[in-house]
């Protein structure tokens, strides 16, 4: 697995797009600080760039680096309330991400991944990793590798080897938005 992660990180460092397993579904990812790579993902998904993408971080320290101590503490509280389900939080702003990852209001979605591969990939890359479902916009998200469309596999610069045979059912993350006031709104229960 370490060689697989190292190869994926190398491809991301050079601006490439990787197809990889996450804590929810199979995803398309890239270095979240690279605008050109983010643009490639929008093109592969045939998705309007006005629809923001989320990013994964592999540690609480990385989350703090992106959103600061106060918002990271809110995330921790919300994560406890999620009861072990993956949690994506839309923060009012985040540091270190490509400009085309933010929504029009400047907000950005982040998830602290607990999945082994995606967490190690974030750590090895040293940046957040874009995580969007590996599908054409509007089509169902692939719960496991066998559901990823051939067009997506062919468009990726690297396809991770890890968990290709895993057909464990997955569920999408809960999505909560933190308003600038500190209040929270659930976008996806």
């Amino acid at each position: 697995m370490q060689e697989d992660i190292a190869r994926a990180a190398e491809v991301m460092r050079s601006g490439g797009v990787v197809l990889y397993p996450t804590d929810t579904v199979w995803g398309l990812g890239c270095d979240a600080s690279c605008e050109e790579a983010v643009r490639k993902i929008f093109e592969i998904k045939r998705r309007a760039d006005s629809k923001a993408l989320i990013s994964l971080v592999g540690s609480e320290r990385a989350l703090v680096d992106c959103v600061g101590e106060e918002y990271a503490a809110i995330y921790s509280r919300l994560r406890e309330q999620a009861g072990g389900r993956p949690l994506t939080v839309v923060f009012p702003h985040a540091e270190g991400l490509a400009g085309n990852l933010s929504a029009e209001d400047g907000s950005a979605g982040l998830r602290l991944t607990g999945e082994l591969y995606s967490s190690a990939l974030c750590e090895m890359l040293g940046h957040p990793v874009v995580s969007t479902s590996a599908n054409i916009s509007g089509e169902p998200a692939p719960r496991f590798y066998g559901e990823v469309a051939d067009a997506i596999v062919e468009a990726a610069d690297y396809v991770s080897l890890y968990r290709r045979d895993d057909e464990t059912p997955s569920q999408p993350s809960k999505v909560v938005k933190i308003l600038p006031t500190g209040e929270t709104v659930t976008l996806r229960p």
Side-chain angles (χ1 to χ4, degrees), residues 61-171:
R61 178 77 247 154
L63 182 64
V64 169
D65 290 346
C66 288
V67 299
E69 296 279 350
E70 180 182 346
Y71 284 118
I74 295 171
Y75 183 95
S76 292
R77 187 187 76 234
L78 292 170
R79 192 173 191 202
E80 287 175 18
Q81 295 169 359
R85 182 173 171 200
L87 173 69
T88 299
V89 173
V90 179
F91 294 92
H93 67 279
E95 299 294 323
L97 301 179
N100 53 352
L101 278 177
S102 299
E104 288 182 15
D105 65 358
S107 64
L110 292 166
R111 183 168 71 245
L112 175 56
T113 178
E115 193 273 333
L116 186 63
Y117 187 96
S118 55
S119 178
L121 180 58
C122 291
E123 291 300 307
M124 186 169 283
L125 182 64
H127 294 127
V129 171
V130 167
S131 180
T132 183
S133 55
N135 61 321
I136 303 297
S137 231
E139 293 182 3
R143 296 169 299 166
F144 37 83
Y145 180 75
E147 292 184 344
V148 179
D150 290 343
I152 297 292
V153 173
E154 292 166 11
D157 298 306
Y158 182 73
V159 179
S160 298
L161 303 173
Y162 184 69
R163 287 185 41 206
R164 284 196 190 180
D165 296 330
D166 183 358
E167 293 191 6
T168 305
S170 62
Q171 61 179 332

Side-chain angles (χ1 to χ4, degrees), residues 31-36 38 96-102:
D31 179 341
S33 68
C34 179
E35 286 202 28
E36 184 55 38
V38 172
L97 301 179
N100 53 352
L101 278 177
S102 299

